[in-house]
Amino acid sequence: MAQWTSAVGAAQLARLLNSQQDRPTGPGTRRPPAYRALADGIRLLVLEGRVPVAARLPAERELALALSVSRTTVAAAYEAMRTEGFLESRRGAGSWTAVPAGNPLPARGLEPLPPEALGSMIDLGCAALPAPEPWLTRAVQGALEELPPYAHTHGDYPAGLPALRSMIAERYTRRGIPTMPEQIMVTTGAMGAMDAICHLFAGRGERIAVESPSYANILQLMREAGARLVPVAMSEGLRGWDLDRWRQVLREAAPRLAYVVADFHNPTGALADEDQRRRLVEAARSAGTVLVVDETMSELYLEDDLEMPRPVSAFDPAGSSVITVGSASKAFWAGMRIGWVRAAPDVIRSLVAARAYADLGTPVLEQLAVHWLLSTGGWEQAVELRRKQARENRDALVAAVRAQLPSWEFSVPRGGLTLWVRTGGLSGSRLAEAGERVGVRVPSGPRFGVDGAFEGYVRLPFTVGGAVAEEAAVRLAAAAHLVETGVSGPAEAPRTFVA
């Protein structure tokens, strides 16, 4: 019986391999043999989750033709991978990817680092900050006081607690977008909201237009749902969307959905202006595309003099073309798994009906905690604390990276939680691998792209500050040195670091 569960074609694997940049060669640096470079390239794709574990690889002859190399080179690369535990083979069944015994399975998204690893590893993989105390504790205490009446019910509220739906609707109304509670569904985080929307609007094989780059976990969610992703390049720097490209893609590809992050885009930090928002809504409406707008970063502006543009939904107040997704996870705390959807009432009813076959509803206690925050003014004070933390961390990380890695390029965003960094010609995939060896976890650029794009980038979140940010930059510089010199094998074990 074959042990593989999926397959990767020769053309697809060649495209992914060709997106990887060669290691720079300096004085005294020897370029690895062709078979070794090929084995390393496939291994990196497996470690990053861009080629799944237990994926059947192309036959040697097919891959050799796709890469324009000799079959001997491919055979030697496969043999090297088998020796290292990254490939298994069986006569008649082919060869499939694996990971050596004892190695963790690669993550397809950006899962948080286990707490037990935090002593020696600086985690720059997850763009989330610790809870803004004392507001988390106060919110939970307030929720417990409000819980008894709900405890006498069945506890299932597929659309969300009525009180919280009303509060969220009122907040949209205060922002200039009249909203009824019937236009709100409370979800289990923004990921739960996006999962429900994708299943309702974009069945297997449907096209979804996405920014390029875009949020890695959402891209993976869409892939798992069977969507065909259509990337649309962002403008250079922090200028937001390229509307000419968007209009062309919406007109020619006619995607069922389009997913965008208008407020402090993840990962670039770009902020779309009002004119861009208006024109994108008009283009989506003209093409018959449903525009899904992720507002999870919208409250994380880090400059007091920044005048925020109106929400995208302001240009489609009835919700006929725009669906908005919000969440407490970025603005408050990732452990508070409360998100919401704002859309037309008929869309909300369809989402709620479909939810009966998924998670039924969102935890009542957490909904009550968010309601307490929103109704007491605690939310505003907690978010202000969060902005202060993010601003200080951003400034410390920017200074540290500029000091340790002066050839790396980036624009400093005025909000959000992420820095999108061009790595001076180094492979982001190889930097991520080297970073694990020297004690800093960083996601490579291709995680945020489609089909291997952005190999020359990494994403750095504003999750550490002070001395930890300085140490993170030191370790990134050490990882860059390993990549530049082509050093392989185990690096010096990272020392335990206590902030």
Side-chain angles (χ1 to χ4, degrees), residues 344-386:
D346 62 317
V347 172
I348 294 298
R349 285 193 295 269
S350 297
L351 289 170
V352 171
R355 192 175 194 179
Y357 307 101
D359 64 352
L360 291 177
T362 303
V364 170
L365 188 62
E366 292 186 27
Q367 291 188 72
L368 289 172
V370 173
H371 181 266
W372 183 91
L373 287 165
L374 294 175
S375 60
T376 62
W379 177 271
E380 285 72 21
Q381 295 183 66
V383 171
E384 183 57 40
L385 177 60
R386 169 66 78 241

Side-chain angles (χ1 to χ4, degrees), residues 32-42 69-81 84:
Y35 84 90
R36 181 71 262 171
L38 176 56
D40 286 348
I42 299 175
V69 299
S70 70
R71 183 176 177 181
T72 302
T73 296
V74 177
Y78 279 13
E79 180 59 32
M81 292 178 65
E84 296 161 2

